[in-house]
mmCIF file of all heavy atoms in Angstrom:
data_model
loop_
_atom_site.group_PDB
_atom_site.id
_atom_site.type_symbol
_atom_site.label_atom_id
_atom_site.label_comp_id
_atom_site.label_asym_id
_atom_site.label_seq_id
_atom_site.Cartn_x
_atom_site.Cartn_y
_atom_site.Cartn_z
ATOM 1 N N ARG A 1314 14.314 26.940 -42.364
ATOM 2 C CA ARG A 1314 15.529 27.227 -43.131
ATOM 3 C C ARG A 1314 16.100 28.617 -42.864
ATOM 4 O O ARG A 1314 17.289 28.846 -43.048
ATOM 5 C CB ARG A 1314 15.237 27.082 -44.629
ATOM 6 C CG ARG A 1314 14.134 27.992 -45.122
ATOM 7 C CD ARG A 1314 13.842 27.790 -46.581
ATOM 8 N NE ARG A 1314 12.793 28.687 -47.051
ATOM 9 C CZ ARG A 1314 12.372 28.740 -48.304
ATOM 10 N NH1 ARG A 1314 12.911 27.925 -49.190
ATOM 11 N NH2 ARG A 1314 11.404 29.583 -48.653
ATOM 12 N N TRP A 1315 15.276 29.551 -42.425
ATOM 13 C CA TRP A 1315 15.744 30.907 -42.215
ATOM 14 C C TRP A 1315 16.287 31.145 -40.801
ATOM 15 O O TRP A 1315 16.884 32.189 -40.525
ATOM 16 C CB TRP A 1315 14.620 31.910 -42.467
ATOM 17 C CG TRP A 1315 13.485 31.810 -41.483
ATOM 18 C CD1 TRP A 1315 12.390 31.004 -41.591
ATOM 19 C CD2 TRP A 1315 13.345 32.528 -40.247
ATOM 20 N NE1 TRP A 1315 11.567 31.176 -40.509
ATOM 21 C CE2 TRP A 1315 12.131 32.112 -39.662
ATOM 22 C CE3 TRP A 1315 14.117 33.470 -39.593
ATOM 23 C CZ2 TRP A 1315 11.688 32.613 -38.449
ATOM 24 C CZ3 TRP A 1315 13.667 33.964 -38.381
ATOM 25 C CH2 TRP A 1315 12.465 33.550 -37.821
ATOM 26 N N LEU A 1316 16.129 30.195 -39.902
ATOM 27 C CA LEU A 1316 16.468 30.368 -38.497
ATOM 28 C C LEU A 1316 17.675 29.492 -38.158
ATOM 29 O O LEU A 1316 17.748 28.329 -38.566
ATOM 30 C CB LEU A 1316 15.282 30.008 -37.617
ATOM 31 C CG LEU A 1316 15.346 30.429 -36.143
ATOM 32 C CD1 LEU A 1316 15.454 31.939 -36.019
ATOM 33 C CD2 LEU A 1316 14.129 29.922 -35.382
ATOM 34 N N ARG A 1317 18.613 30.058 -37.397
ATOM 35 C CA ARG A 1317 19.819 29.342 -36.971
ATOM 36 C C ARG A 1317 19.947 29.416 -35.450
ATOM 37 O O ARG A 1317 19.377 30.289 -34.809
ATOM 38 C CB ARG A 1317 21.077 29.946 -37.613
ATOM 39 C CG ARG A 1317 21.132 29.817 -39.122
ATOM 40 C CD ARG A 1317 22.471 30.341 -39.636
ATOM 41 N NE ARG A 1317 22.594 30.223 -41.074
ATOM 42 C CZ ARG A 1317 22.236 31.170 -41.924
ATOM 43 N NH1 ARG A 1317 21.745 32.316 -41.479
ATOM 44 N NH2 ARG A 1317 22.380 31.002 -43.225
ATOM 45 N N TYR A 1318 20.710 28.471 -34.922
ATOM 46 C CA TYR A 1318 20.960 28.420 -33.478
ATOM 47 C C TYR A 1318 22.463 28.315 -33.254
ATOM 48 O O TYR A 1318 23.182 27.603 -33.962
ATOM 49 C CB TYR A 1318 20.263 27.208 -32.849
ATOM 50 C CG TYR A 1318 20.781 26.849 -31.480
ATOM 51 C CD1 TYR A 1318 20.427 27.594 -30.365
ATOM 52 C CD2 TYR A 1318 21.657 25.773 -31.294
ATOM 53 C CE1 TYR A 1318 20.914 27.292 -29.114
ATOM 54 C CE2 TYR A 1318 22.146 25.453 -30.043
ATOM 55 C CZ TYR A 1318 21.772 26.221 -28.945
ATOM 56 O OH TYR A 1318 22.247 25.908 -27.714
ATOM 57 N N THR A 1319 22.937 29.026 -32.233
ATOM 58 C CA THR A 1319 24.345 28.982 -31.887
ATOM 59 C C THR A 1319 24.505 29.168 -30.386
ATOM 60 O O THR A 1319 23.719 29.872 -29.740
ATOM 61 C CB THR A 1319 25.144 30.078 -32.632
ATOM 62 O OG1 THR A 1319 26.532 29.950 -32.301
ATOM 63 C CG2 THR A 1319 24.670 31.462 -32.258
ATOM 64 N N GLN A 1320 25.516 28.513 -29.842
ATOM 65 C CA GLN A 1320 25.905 28.631 -28.436
ATOM 66 C C GLN A 1320 27.372 28.280 -28.331
ATOM 67 O O GLN A 1320 27.793 27.184 -28.733
ATOM 68 C CB GLN A 1320 25.048 27.739 -27.525
ATOM 69 C CG GLN A 1320 25.350 27.893 -26.056
ATOM 70 C CD GLN A 1320 24.558 26.932 -25.181
ATOM 71 O OE1 GLN A 1320 24.002 25.965 -25.683
ATOM 72 N NE2 GLN A 1320 24.509 27.187 -23.885
ATOM 73 N N ARG A 1321 28.159 29.173 -27.800
ATOM 74 C CA ARG A 1321 29.598 28.956 -27.756
ATOM 75 C C ARG A 1321 29.973 27.881 -26.743
ATOM 76 O O ARG A 1321 30.787 27.016 -27.003
ATOM 77 C CB ARG A 1321 30.291 30.283 -27.412
ATOM 78 C CG ARG A 1321 31.787 30.217 -27.325
ATOM 79 C CD ARG A 1321 32.423 29.774 -28.634
ATOM 80 N NE ARG A 1321 32.087 30.655 -29.735
ATOM 81 C CZ ARG A 1321 32.584 30.502 -30.955
ATOM 82 N NH1 ARG A 1321 33.402 29.523 -31.237
ATOM 83 N NH2 ARG A 1321 32.226 31.335 -31.924
ATOM 84 N N SER A 1322 29.375 27.892 -25.562
ATOM 85 C CA SER A 1322 29.690 26.906 -24.520
ATOM 86 C C SER A 1322 28.467 26.748 -23.622
ATOM 87 O O SER A 1322 27.587 27.611 -23.611
ATOM 88 C CB SER A 1322 30.921 27.343 -23.699
ATOM 89 O OG SER A 1322 30.612 28.487 -22.918
ATOM 90 N N PRO A 1323 28.386 25.661 -22.837
ATOM 91 C CA PRO A 1323 27.234 25.478 -21.937
ATOM 92 C C PRO A 1323 27.117 26.551 -20.854
ATOM 93 O O PRO A 1323 26.050 26.663 -20.245
ATOM 94 C CB PRO A 1323 27.479 24.098 -21.320
ATOM 95 C CG PRO A 1323 28.369 23.392 -22.277
ATOM 96 C CD PRO A 1323 29.232 24.463 -22.857
ATOM 97 N N HIS A 1324 28.165 27.317 -20.613
ATOM 98 C CA HIS A 1324 28.100 28.365 -19.577
ATOM 99 C C HIS A 1324 27.721 29.726 -20.178
ATOM 100 O O HIS A 1324 27.705 30.703 -19.432
ATOM 101 C CB HIS A 1324 29.459 28.470 -18.874
ATOM 102 C CG HIS A 1324 29.853 27.197 -18.183
ATOM 103 N ND1 HIS A 1324 29.354 26.833 -16.939
ATOM 104 C CD2 HIS A 1324 30.697 26.205 -18.543
ATOM 105 C CE1 HIS A 1324 29.884 25.675 -16.574
ATOM 106 N NE2 HIS A 1324 30.705 25.272 -17.524
ATOM 107 N N GLN A 1325 27.448 29.791 -21.464
ATOM 108 C CA GLN A 1325 27.056 31.035 -22.112
ATOM 109 C C GLN A 1325 25.660 30.889 -22.692
ATOM 110 O O GLN A 1325 25.201 29.773 -22.958
ATOM 111 C CB GLN A 1325 28.061 31.388 -23.216
ATOM 112 C CG GLN A 1325 29.464 31.653 -22.691
ATOM 113 C CD GLN A 1325 30.426 31.983 -23.799
ATOM 114 O OE1 GLN A 1325 30.047 32.045 -24.974
ATOM 115 N NE2 GLN A 1325 31.686 32.236 -23.459
#
Side-chain angles (χ1 to χ4, degrees):
R1314 59 182 181 179
W1315 65 271
L1316 194 61
R1317 296 184 179 91
Y1318 163 76
T1319 182
Q1320 184 184 15
R1321 180 60 59 176
S1322 68
H1324 299 281
Q1325 297 179 0

